Structures are given as structure tokens and as C-alpha cells.
């Protein structure tokens, strides 16, 4: 099929129709053992961890959460078109059971059992770009490595200059244009699945890099919990589109070749971070 014919075929569908007509098997529920709830005064932020890519940090972050490390801390930074970050603003909070130093998990060795649905388009930051179990990812076949990409809503581990200086006690989420230059330089641990509006609407910090200069500017963290530790009736039961399905391929094709009356020129291309990853209440 020619590129023109593919564009015409894809333009017959749109994201809403494809989601509406999807089957139950096109979706997977979030794993409560790998889902975090960041409880803020205005609501809940739901984060899914990606232990296939950062197993040691995922385990350490859950240990921090379970010992109550984040409870009562704050969002300390909101930088325009970049990130929001939470941590101990006074850097005095003691760690009880979690580790204080971890080697960076910037990439992982990939094998045939590590899922990867490749996009058809070139990517300036990775030899191959695609999705791994719902997470935007890059892959280098020659090096045999894979990694999660810094797209909007990505959650990463803040660190200093040393590669092993990020332990999960300070986390950030991408709230602006995808800073893909950070790929393979910082440990990515997951992605926000619900509640991004609670982070993107935060007042911007007035200090360097968007840090808040006064305590009353910060947004307090009421609590942070692992979903499996929360009573089932109080959980946010969500499911995400599976990225290894025909439906997801159709979504990508439709977004690459948007049609209808409004679009006059289909792009025939899509950037990794522009691929929609629908999330909905679990059915």
C-alpha cells in the first residue's frame, strides 16, 4: 500500500473512535504493587513504576514510600517548560530502611522477552524508538541496550554529578516539552498515569532552576503510598492501552496521518513523545 493510500486509510479513524471500539484485551490494568499515589492537597497523582528498566530504584522508592519518607515533605521546584520536583527541602529527613546510594540505571540490557513495539519513524535520540509495556522507550540494537525516554509525564530520579548519587529521595516529573537530552543520563522510574494537571498548574518557582525560595510557596505532600497497601475501595483503578496490540498500531497510524476536514496535509510522521497513551478507569 502506498504512503498516500495508508494516509487515506488512517484518516478514516480518530483516536476517540479507536478507543471507543477497542476490546477489553487491548487494555491492561495498572499493577498495584508497582503503582504509587502521591497525595497532594488538591488531589491524587497516580504513578506507575517500570521495574523492568529500573529494578533497584523501583524497589528503593517503594521502601522509601513504605517507611513514610515522603509524608509531610513538599514539592520544592516547578520550572517553566521543564519539571516539577519533590524532596526534603531541608535535607534532614532520615532514611530508615531504604538505601542511600544506588548505581544509576540509565539503560538495561534487552532480551527477546523485554517487550518493545517499534515506531516506524526515525528518532534523533535513539537508533530505534517505540514503547515497552506502555512506556515510551529507546533501543540500540548494536549496544544491546534499551531505556525509557523523557517524554511528558515521565518520572525520574534527581541526582548530582556522580552517576550513583540518585537514590529516589528526590523525584521529578517532566511537565514541559520533552527534554530527551536527559535520556541515558538519569534513571527513569515510571510515568504519571493520572493527575498531571495537579503538577503542571503549580506556581513556578522564582529561584534558580525553578526552586521555591520560601517555605510557603511549596506544595506540601500529604502522603505517598504504594497502591497495594491502600484499601481496595480507596484505590484508583486504572488501565492503560496495551502497546503490543493491533489497536495501538491503528492509533499510531491515525495520529501519523491525521485526516478529516481540518487537516490539509497529513504529516506521515510522529514523534515518540507525541504518541498518545490512553488511560481510563478500569472496566
Amino acid at each position: 500500500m502506498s504512503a498516500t493510500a495508508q494516509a487515506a486509510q488512517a484518516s478514516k479513524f480518530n483516536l476517540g473512535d479507536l478507543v471507543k471500539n477497542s476490546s477489553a484485551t487491548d487494555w491492561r490494568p495498572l499493577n498495584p504493587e508497582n503503582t504509587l499515589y502521591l497525595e497532594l492537597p488538591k488531589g491524587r497523582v497516580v504513578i506507575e513504576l517500570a521495574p523492568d528498566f529500573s529494578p533497584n530504584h523501583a524497589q528503593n522508592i517503594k521502601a522509601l514510600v513504605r517507611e513514610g519518607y515522603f509524608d509531610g515533605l513538599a514539592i520544592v521546584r516547578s520550572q517553566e517548560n521543564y519539571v516539577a520536583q519533590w524532596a526534603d527541602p531541608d535535607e534532614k529527613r532520615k532514611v530508615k530502611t531504604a538505601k542511600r546510594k544506588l548505581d544509576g540505571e540509565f539503560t538495561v540490557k534487552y532480551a527477546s522477552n523485554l517487550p518493545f513495539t517499534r515506531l516506524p519513524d526515525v528518532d534523533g535520540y535513539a537508533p530505534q524508538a517505540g514503547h515497552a509495556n506502555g512506556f515510551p522507550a529507546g533501543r540500540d540494537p548494536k549496544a544491546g541496550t534499551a531505556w525509557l525516554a523523557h517524554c511528558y509525564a515521565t518520572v525520574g530520579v534527581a541526582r548530582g554529578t556522580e552517576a550513583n548519587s540518585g537514590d529516589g529521595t528526590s523525584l521529578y516529573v517532566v511537565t514541559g516539552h520533552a527534554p530527551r537530552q536527559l535520556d541515558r543520563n538519569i534513571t527513569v522510574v515510571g510515568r504519571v498515569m493520572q493527575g498531571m494537571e495537579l503538577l503542571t498548574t503549580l506556581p513556578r518557582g522564582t529561584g534558580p532552576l525553578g526552586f521555591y525560595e520560601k517555605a510557603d510557596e511549596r506544595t506540601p505532600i500529604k502522603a505517598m503510598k504504594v497502591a497495594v497497601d491502600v484499601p481496595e475501595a480507596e484505590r484508583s483503578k486504572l488501565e492503560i492501552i496495551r502497546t503490543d496490540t493491533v489497536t495501538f498500531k491503528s492509533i499510531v497510524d491515525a495520529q501519523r496521518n491525521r485526516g478529516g476536514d481540518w487537516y490539509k496535509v497529513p504529516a506521515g510522521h510522529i514523534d515518540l513523545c507525541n504518541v498518545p497513551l490512553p488511560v481510563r478507569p478500569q472496566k
Side-chain angles (χ1 to χ4, degrees), residues 40-52:
L40 301 178
K42 292 185 178 181
R44 172 182 287 176
V45 178
V46 180
I47 300 167
E48 185 177 36
L49 297 173
D52 287 342

Side-chain angles (χ1 to χ4, degrees), residues 33 35-38 49 55-73 86-88 92-102 155-158 165-172 189 221-226 229:
E33 179 58 42
T35 300
L36 306 178
Y37 297 152
L38 177 65
L49 297 173
N56 296 326
H57 284 80
Q59 181 179 358
N60 207 54
I61 290 168
K62 287 191 289 185
L64 288 165
V65 169
R66 283 174 166 144
E67 69 179 51
Y69 179 84
F70 294 100
D71 300 355
L73 296 184
W86 59 97
D88 175 10
K92 295 180 180 179
R93 179 69 58 96
K94 300 292 185 181
V95 171
K96 302 172 185 177
T97 60
K99 297 179 180 179
R100 284 313 311 253
K101 184 171 287 190
L102 291 172
V155 177
V157 175
S165 58
D167 56 7
T169 54
S170 181
L171 300 170
Y172 65 87
V189 293
I221 295 173
K222 295 171 63 177
M224 199 167 180
K225 302 292 183 183
V226 181
D229 300 335

Side-chain angles (χ1 to χ4, degrees), residues 226-283:
V226 181
V228 76
D229 300 335
V230 174
E232 189 168 356
E234 299 174 16
R235 297 179 192 174
S236 299
K237 296 182 180 179
L238 304 174
E239 57 186 13
I240 181 173
I241 196 77
R242 285 178 48 198
T243 50
D244 60 347
T245 61
V246 172
T247 294
F248 180 70
K249 182 181 184 302
S250 297
I251 288 173
V252 172
D253 289 342
Q255 295 297 104
R256 292 178 75 244
N257 301 287
R258 299 186 195 192
D261 295 334
W262 193 90
Y263 277 95
K264 309 306 180 186
V265 181
H269 179 93
I270 194 165
D271 179 82
L272 172 64
C273 292
N274 279 343
V275 175
L277 294 167
V279 176
R280 69 183 187 184
Q282 189 174 342
K283 295 186 177 181

Side-chain angles (χ1 to χ4, degrees), residues 66-122:
R66 283 174 166 144
E67 69 179 51
Y69 179 84
F70 294 100
D71 300 355
L73 296 184
I75 296 177
V76 298
R77 174 189 182 194
S78 178
Q79 185 173 358
E80 173 64 22
N81 196 32
Y82 200 43
V83 302
Q85 183 174 339
W86 59 97
D88 175 10
D90 300 317
E91 299 183 347
K92 295 180 180 179
R93 179 69 58 96
K94 300 292 185 181
V95 171
K96 302 172 185 177
T97 60
K99 297 179 180 179
R100 284 313 311 253
K101 184 171 287 190
L102 291 172
D103 291 334
E105 295 178 294
F106 304 156
T107 65
V108 295
K109 294 291 184 182
Y110 75 82
S112 58
N113 62 342
L114 182 66
F116 188 84
T117 303
R118 185 180 177 183
L119 287 178
D121 300 307
V122 296

